[in-house]
Amino acid sequence: MSDKMHIKLTVNGEGREFLAEPRELLIYALREHLNITGPHVGCDTSHCGACTVTLNGKSVKSCTMFVGQANGADITTVEGLGTPDALHVLQENFREHHGLQCGFCTPGMITRAAKLLEENPTPTEEDVRFGMAGNICRCTGYQNIVKSILAAADEMNSAEQGQTVEAAE
Ligand code: FES
Ligand code: FES
């Protein structure tokens, strides 16, 4: 008898179904069953944040959850934030302000940062450092990551103000 479970997820707005062992880690289910390889495996022990996704509106390290627990969830990965032709404002600012070097931590960083800015659109530097504390980078020393996130927040806020002014005219 198979121990496999019929898993249904919504990933980046698309309904996905597959069979998996319920205690398979969500990160491996995303990468190996669905070929969604933006979330990375950096440690497997919930320390690095490279596997961060947004699950039902919360930042989750996808190596800390079994796929059976995630059944029915709505998940956003870095692939759902921008495309090569239409980068997310965070992706643009990471590029502009050198918020990455090897890039291994970047999908998790950007996915976490997107949630952070949704929760707090006008963060201070301290808010960003605190909010990103679960994501580790071995290359950058963090300074440029923080700069990139603050610049993205400024850009998002300016765009929103522009829209408000336009709507008022
Ligand atoms: S792989 Fe999940 S926290 Fe490092
Ligand atoms: S850019 Fe290399 S780990 Fe962060």
Side-chain angles (χ1 to χ4, degrees):
M1 196 176 86
S2 166
D3 291 335
K4 294 207 166 160
M5 183 174 175
H6 185 195
I7 305 286
K8 283 190 189 182
L9 299 173
T10 303
V11 186
N12 301 325
E14 198 183 326
R16 307 291 299 264
E17 297 187 30
F18 54 97
L19 288 176
E21 299 278 346
R23 49 186 190 158
E24 192 173 320
L25 295 177
L26 177 58
I27 180 70
Y28 291 110
L30 291 172
R31 292 180 59 85
E32 291 170 14
H33 290 281
L34 302 182
N35 201 26
I36 292 176
T37 54
H40 290 160
V41 185
C43 65
D44 239 357
T45 52
S46 82
H47 286 97
C48 74
C51 62
T52 303
V53 301
T54 306
L55 184 139
N56 294 339
K58 293 198 169 129
S59 293
V60 166
K61 291 177 176 176
S62 57
C63 74
T64 63
M65 183 178 258
F66 296 126
V67 71
Q69 293 173 299
N71 196 16
D74 189 348
I75 294 173
T76 304
T77 68
V78 73
E79 286 91 339
L81 295 178
T83 66
D85 294 331
L87 294 180
H88 187 278
V89 64
L90 277 160
Q91 291 167 322
E92 278 173 10
N93 279 283
F94 268 64
R95 181 171 70 178
E96 179 73 21
H97 299 281
H98 308 287
L100 66 147
Q101 288 180 25
C102 80
F104 192 84
C105 69
T106 313
M109 287 282 176
I110 287 182
T111 307
R112 171 60 199 143
K115 190 69 213 164
L116 172 69
L117 295 187
E118 196 185 307
E119 289 165 351
N120 179 3
T122 54
T124 61
E125 177 175 340
E126 196 184 353
D127 294 335
V128 170
R129 288 185 184 276
F130 184 76
M132 299 301 296
N135 291 69
I136 290 172
C137 176
R138 294 175 65 159
C139 307
T140 63
Y142 301 100
Q143 197 60 33
N144 286 347
I145 291 177
V146 174
K147 202 195 279 181
S148 305
I149 296 170
L150 288 171
D154 280 349
E155 196 176 322
M156 286 160 95
N157 290 326
S158 308
E160 201 165 296
Q161 275 167 14
Q163 278 172 4
T164 311
V165 170
E166 248 174 55
E169 282 172 357

